[in-house]
C-alpha cells in the first residue's frame, strides 16, 4: 500500500489534541458488505447500514479492491452521468484514467486524487489504461461522494487533479502515525483539495502499537474506515478491522490505535478519517443523481436523456444508454 510515504515521519510537523479536548465516543461500528460496480470490479460499501444523519455531508464511499488482477481482468466503468454532488477518487495502488464531458480528466496513480464536482451535470468515464489491462496488477482505491448544498447543486462542473506529492504530510508526537491530509485541514495544516462543503479527509497509517489522538472540529461529524489491518477507535478502544467503519459522537478529539500485532500481509493499520459540516437539507438520491426533491430527480433524468448533461467526446461512444451508478 504505497500511497505517499516518508522514510522518517519525525521530520514532519506533529499534531495532537490538546489536553482539555473532549474525546468523541464511538456510537457504532459497522461492517461493509461486498459487491461489484461498473464492469465488474469488486467494492466494499463502506457506509452501508449507517444512518444518513451521521454521514451528512457524505453520501457513500466504496473501497475499490484491494485486488491483484490477472492479465485481461482489470475493469472500469462506462460513460455515466452525475449531478448534484462531488466524486472523490483516491488511488492507493494501481492506475486509473479519467475523462469527463467538460474537458477534465487524466491519469491518477499511487497516492493521487481526482476530485470532480459534477454540479449541474457532467458525463464521466473511468478505466484502467490498456497496458494495465494487458499485464494485470494490483489495484486499490476509494471513491467518496460528497453532497452539495442546494445553492451549489447546479453550479458549473469543476475538476481537480491532486497529485500525491501535494498532500499535507503530518505525524503524531512519537512519529508512530503518518497522516496524509488530502482535503480540509488538521490543526491548522491544510490539504490541497478545494471543497464547497467544508470537510476533512485524511489517510492515516499507524505502525503496530501506535496511537494518535487528533483535534477534531466540534461542528464536524467524525467517521473512520479501515482500509487494512486491525486496531481500535475511541478512548474506549472499540475493536475495528479491515472493511469496518466507526461512527463517532460529539466531542473535540478522536482516537485511533493500531493493534500490537498485524496480519502478515498488512504491516500497519491503514484508516481513512472523515469529517464534514452537515448540510441538513432534504436529500433524494437515485443512481448517479443526488438532489433535494423528487421533482429535481425526475428533471435530472429528463435532462440526461435529452443530452443536457453534456456529450461524449467524438472519439468515444456510449456503452450503455441508461444511467450508470459508480
Amino acid at each position: 500500500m504505497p500511497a505517499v510515504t516518508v522514510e522518517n515521519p519525525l521530520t514532519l510537523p506533529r499534531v495532537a489534541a490538546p489536553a482539555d479536548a473532549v474525546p468523541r465516543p464511538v456510537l457504532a461500528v459497522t461492517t461493509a458488505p461486498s459487491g461489484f460496480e461498473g464492469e465488474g470490479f469488486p467494492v466494499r460499501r463502506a457506509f452501508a447500514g449507517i444512518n444518513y444523519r451521521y454521514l451528512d455531508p457524505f453520501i457513500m464511499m466504496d473501497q475499490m479492491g484491494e485486488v491483484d488482477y490477472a492479465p485481461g481482468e482489470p475493469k472500469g466503468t462506462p460513460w455515466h452521468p452525475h449531478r448534484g454532488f462531488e466524486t472523490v477518487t483516491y488511488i492507493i495502488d494501481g492506475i486509473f484514467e479519467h475523462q469527463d464531458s467538460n474537458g477534465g480528466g487524466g491519469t491518477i496513480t499511487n497516492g493521487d486524487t481526482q476530485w470532480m464536482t459534477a454540479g449541474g451535470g457532467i458525463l464521466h468515464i473511468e478505466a484502467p489504461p490498456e497496458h494495465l489491462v494487458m499485464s494485470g496488477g494490483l489495484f486499490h482505491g476509494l471513491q467518496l461522494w460528497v453532497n452539495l448544498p442546494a445553492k451549489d447543486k447546479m453550479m458549473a462542473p469543476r475538476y481537480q487533479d491532486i497529485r500525491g506529492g501535494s498532500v499535507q504530510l503530518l505525524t503524531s508526537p512519537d512519529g508512530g502515525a503518518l497522516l496524509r491530509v488530502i482535503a480540509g485541514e488538521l490543526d491548522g495544516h491544510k490539504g490541497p483539495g478545494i471543497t464547497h462543503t467544508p470537510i476533512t479527509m485524511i489517510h492515516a497509517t499507524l505502525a503496530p502499537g501506535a496511537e494518535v489522538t487528533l483535534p477534531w472540529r466540534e461542528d464536524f461529524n467524525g467517521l473512520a474506515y479501515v482500509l487494512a489491518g486491525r486496531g481500535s477507535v475511541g478512548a474506549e478502544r472499540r475493536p475495528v478491522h479491515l472493511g469496518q467503519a466507526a461512527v463517532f459522537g460529539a466531542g473535540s478529539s478522536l482516537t485511533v490505535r493500531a493493534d500490537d500485532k498485524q496480519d502478515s500481509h498488512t504491516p500497519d493499520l491503514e484508516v481513512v478519517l472523515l469529517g464534514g459540516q452537515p448540510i441538513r437539507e432534504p436529500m433524494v438520491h437515485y443512481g448517479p443523481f443526488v438532489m433535494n426533491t423528487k421533482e429535481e430527480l425526475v428533471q435530472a433524468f429528463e435532462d440526461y436523456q435529452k443530452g443536457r448533461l453534456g456529450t461524449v467526446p467524438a472519439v468515444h461512444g456510449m456503452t450503455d444508454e441508461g444511467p450508470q451508478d459508480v
Side-chain angles (χ1 to χ4, degrees), residues 90-299:
Y90 173 52
I91 299 299
I92 301 165
D93 289 291
I95 308 172
F96 236 24
E97 291 182 340
H98 288 255
Q99 187 179 5
D100 64 49
S101 55
N102 201 45
T107 300
I108 53 176
T109 186
N110 304 338
D112 296 339
T113 301
Q114 184 247 26
W115 200 296
M116 188 181 74
T117 304
I122 201 167
L123 301 181
H124 182 231
I125 190 172
E126 50 200 351
E130 186 62 28
H131 69 83
L132 181 63
V133 175
M134 297 296 291
S135 66
L138 193 61
F139 182 81
H140 191 197
L142 289 175
Q143 186 169 95
L144 172 70
W145 288 14
V146 185
N147 201 4
L148 287 170
K151 65 182 179 64
D152 294 326
K153 287 266 186 219
M154 300 299 289
M155 66 174 289
R158 183 180 68 179
Y159 178 87
Q160 296 177 69
D161 184 15
I162 303 172
R163 292 295 152 186
S166 69
V167 302
Q168 175 69 64
L169 299 180
L170 306 169
T171 191
S172 52
D174 64 358
L178 174 61
L179 308 167
R180 306 168 187 86
V181 184
I182 298 167
E185 67 175 320
L186 181 63
D187 200 26
H189 301 276
K190 294 183 179 181
I194 301 170
T195 70
H196 283 278
T197 304
I199 72 164
T200 295
M201 179 180 182
I202 297 167
H203 174 193
T205 300
L206 282 74
E211 180 176 292
V212 62
T213 298
L214 301 175
W216 211 251
R217 279 180 53 167
E218 292 187 67
D219 60 335
F220 276 21
N221 60 0
L223 300 159
Y225 178 75
V226 181
L227 293 166
R230 296 179 174 274
S232 59
V233 288
E236 61 270 47
R237 292 195 175 186
R238 185 86 171 264
V240 289
H241 58 73
L242 166 64
Q244 289 192 315
V247 179
F248 292 91
S252 57
S253 71
L254 56 80
T255 298
V256 179
R257 185 184 186 281
D259 283 357
D260 294 335
K261 292 184 178 180
Q262 298 292 328
D263 299 332
S264 58
H265 63 283
T266 305
D268 303 306
L269 173 67
E270 304 282 351
V271 61
V272 173
L273 303 173
L274 294 168
Q277 192 172 66
I279 296 173
R280 303 296 189 224
E281 292 177 351
M283 185 189 73
V284 183
H285 167 208
Y286 188 84
F289 305 128
V290 181
M291 306 305 294
N292 295 108
T293 68
K294 289 182 180 179
E295 292 75 17
E296 291 171 344
L297 199 61
V298 171
Q299 186 65 53

Side-chain angles (χ1 to χ4, degrees), residues 72-89:
E73 285 187 342
K75 297 176 176 67
T77 66
W79 282 96
H80 54 278
H82 288 304
R83 172 180 278 181
F85 64 103
E86 300 182 284
T87 64
V88 183
T89 306

